[in-house]
PDB file of all heavy atoms in Angstrom:
ATOM      1  N   ALA A 602     -66.641  17.000  90.821  1.00 91.00           N
ATOM      2  CA  ALA A 602     -66.626  15.643  90.170  1.00 91.00           C
ATOM      3  C   ALA A 602     -67.665  14.761  90.719  1.00 91.00           C
ATOM      4  O   ALA A 602     -68.359  14.045  89.909  1.00 91.00           O
ATOM      5  CB  ALA A 602     -65.330  14.961  90.374  1.00 91.00           C
ATOM      6  N   SER A 603     -68.088  14.889  91.880  1.00 89.00           N
ATOM      7  CA  SER A 603     -69.120  14.027  92.504  1.00 89.00           C
ATOM      8  C   SER A 603     -70.549  14.603  92.269  1.00 89.00           C
ATOM      9  O   SER A 603     -71.522  13.799  92.006  1.00 89.00           O
ATOM     10  CB  SER A 603     -68.865  13.807  94.006  1.00 89.00           C
ATOM     11  OG  SER A 603     -68.824  15.028  94.644  1.00 89.00           O
ATOM     12  N   LYS A 604     -70.638  15.966  92.324  1.00 88.00           N
ATOM     13  CA  LYS A 604     -72.014  16.458  92.331  1.00 88.00           C
ATOM     14  C   LYS A 604     -72.519  16.964  90.915  1.00 88.00           C
ATOM     15  O   LYS A 604     -73.439  16.776  90.420  1.00 88.00           O
ATOM     16  CB  LYS A 604     -72.048  17.636  93.215  1.00 88.00           C
ATOM     17  CG  LYS A 604     -72.003  17.280  94.781  1.00 88.00           C
ATOM     18  CD  LYS A 604     -71.887  18.607  95.624  1.00 88.00           C
ATOM     19  CE  LYS A 604     -71.757  18.043  97.114  1.00 88.00           C
ATOM     20  NZ  LYS A 604     -71.701  19.435  98.034  1.00 88.00           N
ATOM     21  N   GLU A 605     -71.469  17.538  90.184  1.00 87.00           N
ATOM     22  CA  GLU A 605     -71.866  18.061  88.857  1.00 87.00           C
ATOM     23  C   GLU A 605     -71.457  17.088  87.746  1.00 87.00           C
ATOM     24  O   GLU A 605     -72.326  16.872  86.788  1.00 87.00           O
ATOM     25  CB  GLU A 605     -71.125  19.289  88.518  1.00 87.00           C
ATOM     26  CG  GLU A 605     -71.472  20.422  89.504  1.00 87.00           C
ATOM     27  CD  GLU A 605     -70.666  21.807  89.039  1.00 87.00           C
ATOM     28  OE1 GLU A 605     -70.379  22.059  87.912  1.00 87.00           O
ATOM     29  OE2 GLU A 605     -70.439  22.664  89.954  1.00 87.00           O
ATOM     30  N   LEU A 606     -70.315  16.564  87.729  1.00 85.00           N
ATOM     31  CA  LEU A 606     -70.037  15.476  86.782  1.00 85.00           C
ATOM     32  C   LEU A 606     -70.450  14.088  86.979  1.00 85.00           C
ATOM     33  O   LEU A 606     -70.811  13.483  86.122  1.00 85.00           O
ATOM     34  CB  LEU A 606     -68.464  15.499  86.716  1.00 85.00           C
ATOM     35  CG  LEU A 606     -67.874  15.017  85.407  1.00 85.00           C
ATOM     36  CD1 LEU A 606     -68.365  15.787  84.122  1.00 85.00           C
ATOM     37  CD2 LEU A 606     -66.283  15.089  85.309  1.00 85.00           C
ATOM     38  N   LYS A 607     -70.472  13.842  88.362  1.00 87.00           N
ATOM     39  CA  LYS A 607     -70.906  12.452  88.796  1.00 87.00           C
ATOM     40  C   LYS A 607     -70.251  11.389  87.988  1.00 87.00           C
ATOM     41  O   LYS A 607     -70.723  10.383  87.452  1.00 87.00           O
ATOM     42  CB  LYS A 607     -72.424  12.296  88.557  1.00 87.00           C
ATOM     43  CG  LYS A 607     -73.239  13.196  89.334  1.00 87.00           C
ATOM     44  CD  LYS A 607     -74.720  13.110  89.298  1.00 87.00           C
ATOM     45  CE  LYS A 607     -75.469  14.063  90.096  1.00 87.00           C
ATOM     46  NZ  LYS A 607     -77.016  13.948  89.897  1.00 87.00           N
ATOM     47  N   ASP A 608     -68.812  11.594  87.933  1.00 88.00           N
ATOM     48  CA  ASP A 608     -67.942  10.613  87.197  1.00 88.00           C
ATOM     49  C   ASP A 608     -67.034   9.932  88.094  1.00 88.00           C
ATOM     50  O   ASP A 608     -66.088  10.537  88.675  1.00 88.00           O
ATOM     51  CB  ASP A 608     -67.185  11.356  86.057  1.00 88.00           C
ATOM     52  CG  ASP A 608     -66.278  10.522  85.270  1.00 88.00           C
ATOM     53  OD1 ASP A 608     -66.313   9.362  85.497  1.00 88.00           O
ATOM     54  OD2 ASP A 608     -65.588  11.090  84.405  1.00 88.00           O
ATOM     55  N   PRO A 609     -67.208   8.638  88.400  1.00 90.00           N
ATOM     56  CA  PRO A 609     -66.263   7.891  89.289  1.00 90.00           C
ATOM     57  C   PRO A 609     -64.811   7.965  88.873  1.00 90.00           C
ATOM     58  O   PRO A 609     -63.923   7.979  89.788  1.00 90.00           O
ATOM     59  CB  PRO A 609     -66.810   6.433  89.200  1.00 90.00           C
ATOM     60  CG  PRO A 609     -68.124   6.544  88.739  1.00 90.00           C
ATOM     61  CD  PRO A 609     -68.167   7.740  87.858  1.00 90.00           C
ATOM     62  N   SER A 610     -64.544   7.807  87.483  1.00 91.00           N
ATOM     63  CA  SER A 610     -63.102   7.893  87.124  1.00 91.00           C
ATOM     64  C   SER A 610     -62.478   9.190  87.422  1.00 91.00           C
ATOM     65  O   SER A 610     -61.310   9.365  87.788  1.00 91.00           O
ATOM     66  CB  SER A 610     -63.145   7.587  85.664  1.00 91.00           C
ATOM     67  OG  SER A 610     -63.754   8.620  84.903  1.00 91.00           O
ATOM     68  N   ALA A 611     -63.218  10.302  87.337  1.00 92.00           N
ATOM     69  CA  ALA A 611     -62.773  11.543  87.664  1.00 92.00           C
ATOM     70  C   ALA A 611     -62.448  11.784  89.089  1.00 92.00           C
ATOM     71  O   ALA A 611     -61.404  12.262  89.640  1.00 92.00           O
ATOM     72  CB  ALA A 611     -63.684  12.751  87.230  1.00 92.00           C
ATOM     73  N   VAL A 612     -63.421  11.204  89.949  1.00 90.00           N
ATOM     74  CA  VAL A 612     -63.284  11.232  91.444  1.00 90.00           C
ATOM     75  C   VAL A 612     -62.085  10.394  91.800  1.00 90.00           C
ATOM     76  O   VAL A 612     -61.291  10.806  92.573  1.00 90.00           O
ATOM     77  CB  VAL A 612     -64.495  10.767  92.032  1.00 90.00           C
ATOM     78  CG1 VAL A 612     -64.323  10.512  93.575  1.00 90.00           C
ATOM     79  CG2 VAL A 612     -65.763  11.655  91.880  1.00 90.00           C
ATOM     80  N   ALA A 613     -61.808   9.228  91.116  1.00 92.00           N
ATOM     81  CA  ALA A 613     -60.688   8.312  91.383  1.00 92.00           C
ATOM     82  C   ALA A 613     -59.437   8.950  91.183  1.00 92.00           C
ATOM     83  O   ALA A 613     -58.422   8.987  91.982  1.00 92.00           O
ATOM     84  CB  ALA A 613     -60.802   7.106  90.661  1.00 92.00           C
ATOM     85  N   SER A 614     -59.400   9.697  90.130  1.00 93.00           N
ATOM     86  CA  SER A 614     -58.140  10.483  89.705  1.00 93.00           C
ATOM     87  C   SER A 614     -57.812  11.647  90.701  1.00 93.00           C
ATOM     88  O   SER A 614     -56.664  11.756  91.070  1.00 93.00           O
ATOM     89  CB  SER A 614     -58.361  11.070  88.305  1.00 93.00           C
ATOM     90  OG  SER A 614     -57.297  11.907  87.914  1.00 93.00           O
ATOM     91  N   ILE A 615     -58.986  12.231  91.162  1.00 92.00           N
ATOM     92  CA  ILE A 615     -58.702  13.228  92.214  1.00 92.00           C
ATOM     93  C   ILE A 615     -58.097  12.733  93.464  1.00 92.00           C
ATOM     94  O   ILE A 615     -57.400  13.349  94.222  1.00 92.00           O
ATOM     95  CB  ILE A 615     -60.007  14.132  92.400  1.00 92.00           C
ATOM     96  CG1 ILE A 615     -60.408  14.963  91.098  1.00 92.00           C
ATOM     97  CG2 ILE A 615     -59.892  15.088  93.554  1.00 92.00           C
ATOM     98  CD1 ILE A 615     -61.782  15.456  91.048  1.00 92.00           C
ATOM     99  N   LEU A 616     -58.801  11.537  93.811  1.00 92.00           N
ATOM    100  CA  LEU A 616     -58.329  10.903  94.934  1.00 92.00           C
ATOM    101  C   LEU A 616     -56.864  10.523  94.950  1.00 92.00           C
ATOM    102  O   LEU A 616     -56.202  10.727  95.979  1.00 92.00           O
ATOM    103  CB  LEU A 616     -59.152   9.644  95.227  1.00 92.00           C
ATOM    104  CG  LEU A 616     -58.780   8.657  96.344  1.00 92.00           C
ATOM    105  CD1 LEU A 616     -59.024   9.525  97.660  1.00 92.00           C
ATOM    106  CD2 LEU A 616     -59.623   7.288  96.330  1.00 92.00           C
ATOM    107  N   GLN A 617     -56.316  10.149  93.822  1.00 93.00           N
ATOM    108  CA  GLN A 617     -54.903   9.864  93.771  1.00 93.00           C
ATOM    109  C   GLN A 617     -54.000  11.020  94.021  1.00 93.00           C
ATOM    110  O   GLN A 617     -53.025  11.046  94.771  1.00 93.00           O
ATOM    111  CB  GLN A 617     -54.535   9.210  92.410  1.00 93.00           C
ATOM    112  CG  GLN A 617     -55.020   7.945  92.109  1.00 93.00           C
ATOM    113  CD  GLN A 617     -54.772   7.389  90.726  1.00 93.00           C
ATOM    114  OE1 GLN A 617     -54.346   8.174  89.915  1.00 93.00           O
ATOM    115  NE2 GLN A 617     -54.925   5.989  90.510  1.00 93.00           N
ATOM    116  N   GLN A 618     -54.368  12.204  93.393  1.00 93.00           N
ATOM    117  CA  GLN A 618     -53.765  13.483  93.595  1.00 93.00           C
ATOM    118  C   GLN A 618     -53.909  13.945  94.946  1.00 93.00           C
ATOM    119  O   GLN A 618     -52.900  14.410  95.628  1.00 93.00           O
ATOM    120  CB  GLN A 618     -54.354  14.519  92.628  1.00 93.00           C
ATOM    121  CG  GLN A 618     -54.046  14.223  91.055  1.00 93.00           C
ATOM    122  CD  GLN A 618     -54.590  15.243  90.238  1.00 93.00           C
ATOM    123  OE1 GLN A 618     -54.161  16.364  90.228  1.00 93.00           O
ATOM    124  NE2 GLN A 618     -55.583  14.878  89.389  1.00 93.00           N
ATOM    125  N   ALA A 619     -55.092  13.806  95.612  1.00 92.00           N
ATOM    126  CA  ALA A 619     -55.260  14.229  96.874  1.00 92.00           C
ATOM    127  C   ALA A 619     -54.407  13.468  98.009  1.00 92.00           C
ATOM    128  O   ALA A 619     -53.864  13.895  98.990  1.00 92.00           O
ATOM    129  CB  ALA A 619     -56.797  14.170  97.377  1.00 92.00           C
ATOM    130  N   THR A 620     -54.262  12.165  97.716  1.00 92.00           N
ATOM    131  CA  THR A 620     -53.568  11.111  98.546  1.00 92.00           C
ATOM    132  C   THR A 620     -52.066  11.581  98.541  1.00 92.00           C
ATOM    133  O   THR A 620     -51.341  11.600  99.630  1.00 92.00           O
ATOM    134  CB  THR A 620     -53.723   9.753  98.078  1.00 92.00           C
ATOM    135  OG1 THR A 620     -55.049   9.423  98.089  1.00 92.00           O
ATOM    136  CG2 THR A 620     -52.973   8.799  98.979  1.00 92.00           C
ATOM    137  N   ARG A 621     -51.522  11.986  97.323  1.00 92.00           N
ATOM    138  CA  ARG A 621     -50.124  12.387  97.230  1.00 92.00           C
ATOM    139  C   ARG A 621     -49.973  13.723  97.942  1.00 92.00           C
ATOM    140  O   ARG A 621     -48.755  14.031  98.554  1.00 92.00           O
ATOM    141  CB  ARG A 621     -49.803  12.531  95.769  1.00 92.00           C
ATOM    142  CG  ARG A 621     -49.537  11.224  95.074  1.00 92.00           C
ATOM    143  CD  ARG A 621     -48.778  11.362  93.708  1.00 92.00           C
ATOM    144  NE  ARG A 621     -49.539  12.145  92.774  1.00 92.00           N
ATOM    145  CZ  ARG A 621     -50.397  11.662  91.879  1.00 92.00           C
ATOM    146  NH1 ARG A 621     -50.521  10.184  91.866  1.00 92.00           N
ATOM    147  NH2 ARG A 621     -50.941  12.359  91.039  1.00 92.00           N
TER     148      ARG A 621
END
Side-chain angles (χ1 to χ4, degrees):
S603 60
K604 294 176 183 177
E605 295 183 31
L606 199 60
K607 297 179 180 179
D608 183 357
S610 62
V612 174
S614 175
I615 294 167
L616 177 59
Q617 288 180 347
Q618 296 179 62
T620 302
R621 285 196 295 270

